[in-house]
């Protein structure tokens, strides 16, 4: 299938239960076959494969609710549940998780956790890491491991649950995940302001964050927009909107409009996460700090522009991260050069790139601190090297 | 050179305690049921590089190392059953750097939790995890135990506020890690946080600072029965009202606190619920009104809203001083830390009462109701060995009852020595083997805080040895690339 492009697996497996996942992995390990787990395939760029997996294990048939206790504000779901379905299920009980991701009708919860996703409302809502309370994952030898539980506070043993967040399926295949849930707030709004210059938008966004008020999100974008998320009681949202407006005005920004309510704000945030150049998009997630992100994204944009890339970016002023996207088209050499220069400049990782180009990029940015220990963990959890994965540990995989 | 001389060279005479009187202090912590032999040496380093030197000395001599903050742990995690070296972080007490623009602070592990909030509050920030011991417990100790506290209902536990860690590893190397999603790779910070000093010795911590909320409201709701109070908690959670804190005290706890502090808690009730909400001035009254209305609908006999900062502080002082107040009721008390799904709180509390009756022990409940995190406090006299036996049995029975209700054995205190065999109640051999693999990777010599966290049975001991051996072999073979 084209999604996994050059991998050309010999077999697709679609287990319907965690026990079947265990059987597939145990058989693969015993026969020396390699496996890559895959959810909706929305973040395949993250994995760089040095060798093609023999089996692509699709988690998308694992979509049952294991346990949902609305009164406890907790849920346990299988890894292949689609984000859109999960969101709908939670909303029926007035609850939610930070699930802003592109293509929610395809992306899976297991993929989002394996990828270590953090959406545009991270400032107010956090990332999925903050909501994980337990999991079941299948080790490459087929043994199923339970971590955490269904209680919202738990320090019983090591936190293997959070270890799975961002692990790109390298230590085991995620079978199910348990989360505590957040309530959907009474009122929500997404406001957009337009500034004359992108630099003004960055400065205005930083000033809004400096108010130290509970905004859900504050972003500046390359088209000179400021995008602000306001959530809470009705009176809170009214106040937050007034505060954002007051700051934006001092930077000469004009209010372009706003959307309100759970459905429309969710749609607005999904739109915010969309790939600007479709399948030709390459996106670099730049990790900086609140005080330095404006400078970092402007320098990154200058580098991309100097390489003649069509470039768009958004900076999360509240969290100190930025996403820089370019139209990679078929310019693989230029993209390699861009990645190299950006890595020199900043801590980053690639979150999107045309699938055909990924084998030529580093993808994970600089070697993470502790990479030796990570390789050791990989060798302990996957001594047979069954799960091709973990770009930082020089394998590859997964997923979305 | 003797071990003593080597340690002396590392930390100097001011940094070494080896007289029997000085060492004996380190044979205790706030935990029951017993103390252990004291460490052979206590060292008090001030820098990461001194810790490196100490660890290298210990590794060369094959001596175990146990890190220790203020000794306020409640499960024996800082005790030294094999003697060896205790690294006290008491002198590593500097706030190294605060960056308000980036909302983070870099601290040494011996910084007292509350000191960080007091330092940052004038700038509009605080450090959110607030264990009840925060006036004395250290941030390093909080990281070791992944400490919670009343406000973690809204703000999350320590792990949610740790951005990065600098650690000394068992071979004396220094490792700096960051947490996901800002770092590619496995979340080593998540593994180290809550590992109780068994994986690495944390020497610097980068923590997230949280803006001080504009408005805070505190109310105290009184209920005829603890069951009614529990039902209120369940209803508040189910309605998604998301208070900042939701703390419960039963009648015996209220009496203890009133006798000690004379705060004005109502004595003619079965339980009180201490409620805090925070946020903007604009919506705060609506928030509090929704919570107090839910309490009234569920049988609250009175709801008192604190009208001033002084009154708020007083209501909280009762809650945070409960442990001290118990000191007036009995020579000793034993605090449990089980967690149940929040909708099972009424059943769990009923079983705790039944178990206390069965074992003829006096029990007071003061706990983080909003999280379902029980803290039965069983009163006893350490000198009465028969009573100590009943207390321990009652504690175990409570853990089993909570696990049967879908809960777990520790919410925020940790496993340490005391609860390690209780892990068998919730985890299979395969689950524990996965944890042992982690330990084998970080701590292959098993010299960092031995005998903690993992069950004491032979099977588990073998598991640890196996994992450590495999990891050591993988290192020698150049590992997996």
């Amino acid at each position: 299938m084209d999604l996994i492009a050059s991998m050309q697996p010999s077999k697709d497996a679609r287990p319907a239960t965690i026990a079947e996942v265990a059987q597939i992995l145990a058989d693969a390990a015993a026969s020396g076959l390699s496996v890559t787990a895959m959810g909706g395939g929305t973040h395949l760029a993250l994995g760089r494969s040095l060798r093609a997996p023999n089996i692509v294990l699709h988690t998308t048939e694992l979509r049952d609710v294991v346990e949902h206790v609305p009164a406890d504000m907790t849920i346990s779901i299988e890894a292949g549940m689609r984000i859109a379905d999960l969101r709908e299920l939670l909303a029926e009980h007035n609850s939610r998780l930070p699930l802003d991701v592109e293509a929610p009708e395809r992306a899976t919860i297991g993929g989002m956790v394996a990828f270590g996703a953090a959406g545009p409302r991270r400032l107010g809502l956090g990332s999925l890491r903050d909501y994980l309370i337990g999991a079941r994952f299948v080790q490459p030898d087929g043994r199923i491991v339970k971590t955490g539980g269904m209680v919202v506070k738990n320090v019983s043993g090591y936190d293997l649950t959070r270890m799975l967040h961002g692990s790109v399926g390298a230590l085991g295949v995620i079978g199910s995940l348990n989360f505590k849930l957040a309530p959907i707030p009474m009122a929500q709004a997404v406001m957009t302001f337009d500034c004359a210059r992108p630099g003004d938008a960055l400065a205005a966004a930083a000033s809004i964050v400096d108010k130290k008020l509970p905004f859900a999100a504050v972003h500046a974008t390359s088209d000179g927009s400021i995008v602000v998320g306001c959530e809470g009681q009705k009176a809170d949202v009214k106040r937050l909107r007034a505060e954002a407006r007051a700051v934006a005005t001092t930077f000469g920004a004009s209010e372009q409009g706003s959307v309100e309510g759970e459905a429309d704000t969710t749609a607005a945030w999904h739109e915010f996460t969309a790939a600007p150049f479709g399948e030709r998009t390459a996106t670099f997630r730049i990790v900086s700090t609140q005080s330095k992100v404006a400078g970092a994204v402007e320098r990154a944009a200058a580098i991309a522009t100097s390489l003649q890339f069509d470039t768009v970016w958004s900076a999360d002023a509240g969290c100190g991260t930025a996403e820089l996207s370019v139209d990679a088209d078929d310019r693989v050499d230029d993209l390699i050069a861009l990645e190299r220069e950006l890595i020199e400049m900043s801590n980053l990782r690639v979150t999107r790139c045309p699938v055909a180009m990924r084998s030529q990029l580093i993808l994970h940015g600089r070697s993470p601190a502790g990479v030796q220990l990570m390789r050791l963990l990989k060798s302990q959890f996957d001594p047979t090297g069954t799960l091709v994965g973990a770009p930082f540990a020089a394998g590859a995989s997964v997923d979305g | 050179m003797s071990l003593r001389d080597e340690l002396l060279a590392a930390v100097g005479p001011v940094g070494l305690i080896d007289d029997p009187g000085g060492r004996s202090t380190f044979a205790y912590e706030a935990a029951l049921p017993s103390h252990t032999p004291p460490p052979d040496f206590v060292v008090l380093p001030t820098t990461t590089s001194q810790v490196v030197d100490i660890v290298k000395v210990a590794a060369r001599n094959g001596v175990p190392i146990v890190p220790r903050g203020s000794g306020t742990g409640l499960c024996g995690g800082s005790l030294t059953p094999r003697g060896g070296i205790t690294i006290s972080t008491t002198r590593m007490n500097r706030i190294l750097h605060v960056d308000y623009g980036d909302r983070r602070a870099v601290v040494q592990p011996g910084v007292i939790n509350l000191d960080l909030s007091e330092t940052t509050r004038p700038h509009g920030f605080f450090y959110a995890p607030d264990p009840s011991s925060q006036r004395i417990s250290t941030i390093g100790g909080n990281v070791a135990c992944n400490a919670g506290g009343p406000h973690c209902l809204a703000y999350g536990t320590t792990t949610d506020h740790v951005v990065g860690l600098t650690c000394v590893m068992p071979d004396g190397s220094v490792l700096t890690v960051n947490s996901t999603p800002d770092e590619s790779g496995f979340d080593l910070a998540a593994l180290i946080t809550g590992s109780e000093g068994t994986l690495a010795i944390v020497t610097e911590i980068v923590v997230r600072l949280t803006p001080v909320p504009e408005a805070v409201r505190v109310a105290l709701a009184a209920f005829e029965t603890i069951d009614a109070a529990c039902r209120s908690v369940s209803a508040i959670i189910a309605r998604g009202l998301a208070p900042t804190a939701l703390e419960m005290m039963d009648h015996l706890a209220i009496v203890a606190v009133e006798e000690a502090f004379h705060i004005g808690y109502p004595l003619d009730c079965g339980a009180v619920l201490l409620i805090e909400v925070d946020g903007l001035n604009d919506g705060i009254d609506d928030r509090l009104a929704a919570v107090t209305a839910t309490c009234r609908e569920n049988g609250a006999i009175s709801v008192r809203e604190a009208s001033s900062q002084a009154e708020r502080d007083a209501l909280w002082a009762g809650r945070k001083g409960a442990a001290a107040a118990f000191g007036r009721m009995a020579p000793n008390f034993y605090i449990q830390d089980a967690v149940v799904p929040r909708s099972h709180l009424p059943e769990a509390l009923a079983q705790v009462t039944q178990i206390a009756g069965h074992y003829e022990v006096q029990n007071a409940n003061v706990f983080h109701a909003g999280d379902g995190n029980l803290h039965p406090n069983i009163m006893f006299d350490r000198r009465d060995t028969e009573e100590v036996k009943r207390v321990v049995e009652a504690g175990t029975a409570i853990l089993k009852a909570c696990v049967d209700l879908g809960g777990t054995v520790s919410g925020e205190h940790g496993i340490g020595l005391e609860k390690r065999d209780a892990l068998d109640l919730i985890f299979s051999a395969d689950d524990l083997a996965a944890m042992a693999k982690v330990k084998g990777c970080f701590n292959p010599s098993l010299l960092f805080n031995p005998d903690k966290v993992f069950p004491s049975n032979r099977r588990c001991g073998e598991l640890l040895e196996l994992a450590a051996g495999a990891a050591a072999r993988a290192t020698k073979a150049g590992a997996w690339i």
Side-chain angles (χ1 to χ4, degrees):
Chain A
M1 62 187 284
D2 62 343
L3 275 175
I4 36 188
S6 57
M7 287 189 187
Q8 295 178 327
S10 53
K11 188 181 165 193
D12 287 304
R14 298 180 191 279
T17 63
I18 296 175
E20 284 177 28
V21 175
Q23 192 60 53
I24 291 164
L25 285 176
D27 290 349
S31 336
L33 298 175
S34 60
V35 180
T36 284
M38 181 167 136
T42 56
H43 285 84
L44 287 173
L46 196 68
R48 183 161 66 93
S49 194
L50 292 185
R51 60 191 170 105
N54 300 112
I55 299 166
V56 173
L57 191 158
H58 298 268
T59 59
T60 41
E61 299 300 311
L62 294 168
R63 54 189 174 206
D64 285 349
V65 176
V66 180
E67 190 181 0
H68 183 193
V69 192
D72 280 336
M73 296 285 280
T74 56
I75 193 166
S76 175
I77 43 188
E78 289 185 334
M81 180 173 276
R82 309 283 187 179
I83 297 303
D85 295 341
L86 176 57
R87 179 185 292 281
E88 191 179 329
L89 172 68
L90 297 180
E92 279 171 23
H93 299 277
N94 200 40
S95 58
R96 64 175 181 171
L97 284 169
L99 297 174
D100 301 321
V101 67
E102 66 179 296
E105 70 291 345
R106 271 206 295 136
T108 64
I109 188 66
M112 275 189 80
V113 168
F115 163 51
R121 281 186 279 185
R122 185 179 169 201
L123 176 64
L125 197 51
S127 74
L128 283 172
R129 183 188 191 268
D130 305 326
Y131 294 83
L132 272 171
I133 56 173
R136 254 174 218 282
F137 70 96
V138 187
Q139 297 184 107
D141 63 3
R143 277 188 287 187
I144 299 169
V145 172
K146 172 193 129 177
T147 74
M150 283 294 278
V151 290
V152 299
K153 228 167 138 187
N154 196 344
V155 295
S156 307
Y158 296 157
D159 192 350
L160 302 188
T161 311
R162 281 186 177 78
M163 178 185 76
L164 297 173
H165 187 258
S167 68
V168 286
L171 298 175
V173 175
I174 298 171
S176 63
L177 293 160
N178 310 346
F179 295 97
K180 61 179 178 180
L181 304 172
I184 292 176
M186 296 280 285
Q188 300 184 63
V190 181
M191 309 172 78
T192 307
F193 303 91
D194 275 1
C195 294
R197 287 174 296 272
D200 295 345
L202 285 166
S207 291
I208 292 170
V209 171
D210 274 347
K211 300 291 282 184
K212 298 196 278 271
L213 296 171
F215 287 104
V218 184
H219 297 268
T221 67
S222 50
D223 63 0
S225 298
I226 315 162
V227 183
V228 181
C230 306
E231 303 184 343
Q233 301 284 328
K234 280 183 185 152
D236 296 335
V237 170
K238 190 176 167 204
R239 161 83 182 285
L240 291 169
R241 292 177 69 147
E243 295 272 359
R245 194 175 292 127
V247 176
T249 307
T250 63
F251 286 85
S254 56
E255 190 169 349
Q256 287 307 300
S258 67
V259 297
E260 293 172 36
E262 164 70 7
D264 288 350
T265 54
T266 297
W269 289 119
H270 280 155
E271 197 179 323
F272 190 82
T273 61
F277 306 108
E279 291 187 0
R280 299 196 312 270
T281 310
T283 300
F284 298 87
R285 182 167 190 277
I286 295 166
V287 177
S288 181
T289 66
Q290 288 88 338
S291 65
K292 298 190 185 80
V293 68
V297 78
E298 284 187 320
R299 280 198 304 283
I303 294 169
T305 308
S306 73
L307 288 165
Q308 265 114 49
F309 277 112
D310 277 352
T311 305
V312 300
W313 51 257
S314 64
D316 185 336
C319 297
T321 58
E323 300 217 337
L324 178 105
S325 296
V326 298
D327 184 348
D329 200 0
D330 56 359
R331 299 170 55 193
V332 66
D333 291 339
D334 292 337
L335 195 62
I336 292 168
L338 175 62
E339 184 189 42
R340 198 166 46 225
E341 287 200 45
L342 291 180
I343 286 176
E344 218 159 274
M345 188 201 88
S346 179
N347 190 10
L348 62 80
R349 59 178 170 150
V350 175
T351 55
R352 288 187 196 102
C353 83
V355 172
M357 293 188 193
R358 65 181 176 169
S359 62
Q360 305 194 51
L361 297 180
I362 295 168
L363 300 173
H364 61 269
R366 300 169 182 168
S367 245
V371 70
Q372 295 298 338
L373 200 51
M374 291 175 196
R375 288 174 181 166
L376 203 52
L377 279 166
K378 170 73 181 169
S379 74
Q380 281 277 285
F381 278 88
D382 185 15
T384 49
T386 300
L387 294 171
V388 285
F392 47 87
S397 81
V398 187
D399 190 19
Chain B
M1 219 169 166
S2 70
L3 178 58
R4 182 181 185 282
D5 289 343
E6 287 191 81
L7 291 172
L8 207 55
V11 292
V14 184
L16 182 73
I17 298 171
D18 65 344
D19 65 288
R23 289 188 290 119
S24 67
T25 319
F26 294 83
Y28 298 83
E29 69 171 31
L32 178 118
S34 59
H35 60 93
T36 59
D40 301 307
F41 299 96
V42 179
V43 288
L44 301 97
T46 56
T47 62
T48 299
S49 74
Q50 284 189 349
V51 175
V52 167
D53 292 344
I54 295 160
V55 168
K56 284 181 175 168
V57 169
R60 262 201 310 276
N61 292 277
V63 180
I65 291 187
V66 178
R68 180 179 171 111
S70 292
T72 55
L74 293 160
C75 54
S78 68
L79 297 182
T80 51
R82 300 187 189 196
I85 299 167
T86 290
I87 295 186
S88 164
T89 58
T90 304
R91 295 203 302 157
M92 299 183 81
N93 60 354
R94 285 180 301 143
I95 297 171
L96 298 171
H97 181 67
V98 183
D99 193 328
Y100 295 106
D102 290 344
R103 301 187 174 189
R104 57 184 62 180
V106 185
V107 302
Q108 288 191 307
V111 169
I112 301 295
N113 174 300
L114 191 60
D115 286 354
L116 182 58
S117 286
E118 289 189 341
T119 301
T120 54
R121 201 171 285 273
H123 300 268
F125 291 94
F126 73 114
Y127 176 59
D130 65 333
S132 297
S133 60
Q134 73 180 137
R135 286 175 184 284
I136 170 126
S137 66
T138 64
I139 293 177
N142 296 165
V143 168
C145 298
N146 188 12
H151 290 87
C152 71
L153 175 60
Y155 290 104
T157 58
T158 300
T159 190
D160 300 318
H161 300 269
V162 170
V163 180
L165 296 169
T166 298
C167 315
V168 177
M169 307 307 289
D171 62 357
S173 61
V174 176
L175 176 70
T176 299
V177 297
N178 300 308
S179 61
T180 60
D182 287 336
E183 181 92 354
S184 292
F186 304 137
D187 199 330
L188 303 182
L191 288 174
I192 294 167
T193 305
S195 68
E196 305 185 31
T198 61
L199 299 183
I201 312 267
V202 173
T203 58
E204 277 180 29
I205 304 144
V206 188
V207 296
R208 184 172 289 126
L209 298 175
T210 304
V212 174
E214 186 175 83
V216 178
R217 296 276 191 280
V218 173
L220 191 76
F223 297 84
E224 211 159 286
T225 63
I226 197 159
D227 189 58
C230 288
R231 278 187 278 114
S232 289
V233 171
S234 297
I236 290 166
I237 297 299
R239 288 182 188 181
L241 298 176
T244 323
L246 208 47
E247 298 284 305
M248 199 184 300
M249 298 170 68
D250 71 3
H251 182 74
L252 190 56
I254 297 166
V255 169
V257 164
E258 272 307 302
E259 284 180 359
F261 304 119
H262 316 292
I263 285 161
Y265 284 0
L267 289 165
D268 55 348
C269 64
V272 292
L273 204 51
L274 182 64
I275 300 153
E276 184 176 296
V277 295
D278 72 14
L280 294 171
N281 284 322
D282 310 72
I284 192 85
D285 292 325
D286 291 348
R287 270 176 211 277
L288 185 62
V291 177
T292 54
T294 308
C295 289
R296 289 199 179 90
E297 284 166 30
N298 284 276
I301 48 180
S302 70
V303 179
R304 172 180 150 198
E305 293 180 21
S307 56
S308 65
Q309 177 71 42
E311 198 179 351
R312 282 205 299 273
D313 291 346
L315 289 178
W316 269 113
R319 165 63 186 89
K320 292 214 171 183
F326 296 149
R328 298 164 56 96
M329 303 187 74
N332 304 94
F333 72 93
Y334 176 37
I335 182 168
Q336 269 296 3
D337 181 36
V339 193
V340 293
R342 298 176 277 206
S343 56
H344 287 308
L345 273 176
E347 287 161 273
L349 264 296
Q351 292 204 29
V352 168
T353 304
Q354 191 265 325
I355 289 166
H358 176 80
Y359 288 97
E360 298 175 2
V361 292
Q362 195 180 28
N363 170 56
N365 291 294
V366 182
F367 63 101
H368 311 304
D371 291 314
N373 188 183
L374 305 184
H375 284 337
N377 294 268
I378 306 173
M379 313 295 162
F380 71 102
D381 185 339
R382 194 187 282 274
R383 293 162 296 190
D384 182 343
T385 50
E386 192 278 330
E387 189 180 38
V388 168
K389 190 164 164 281
R390 280 186 284 120
V391 167
V392 172
E393 285 173 0
T396 306
I398 289 170
L399 288 185
K400 283 185 176 151
C402 291
V403 169
D404 287 347
L405 289 170
T408 193
V409 297
S410 181
E412 57 179 11
H413 295 173
I415 301 301
L417 274 181
E418 182 214 324
K419 286 210 191 116
R420 56 193 178 140
D421 290 331
L423 280 193
D424 278 332
L425 295 175
I426 47 175
F427 290 126
S428 71
D430 284 347
D431 303 337
L432 290 168
M435 290 184 200
K437 286 176 188 172
V438 172
K439 184 166 174 178
C441 291
F442 279 80
N443 180 13
S445 63
L446 306 179
L447 287 179
F448 275 5
N449 212 1
D451 308 314
K452 308 291 168 60
V453 181
F454 288 85
S456 58
N457 56 49
R458 187 165 153 264
R459 189 193 69 203
C460 202
E462 284 169 356
L463 216 105
L464 283 171
E465 299 285 342
L466 275 175
R473 279 195 302 282
T475 319
K476 275 180 195 149
W480 179 94
I481 299 181

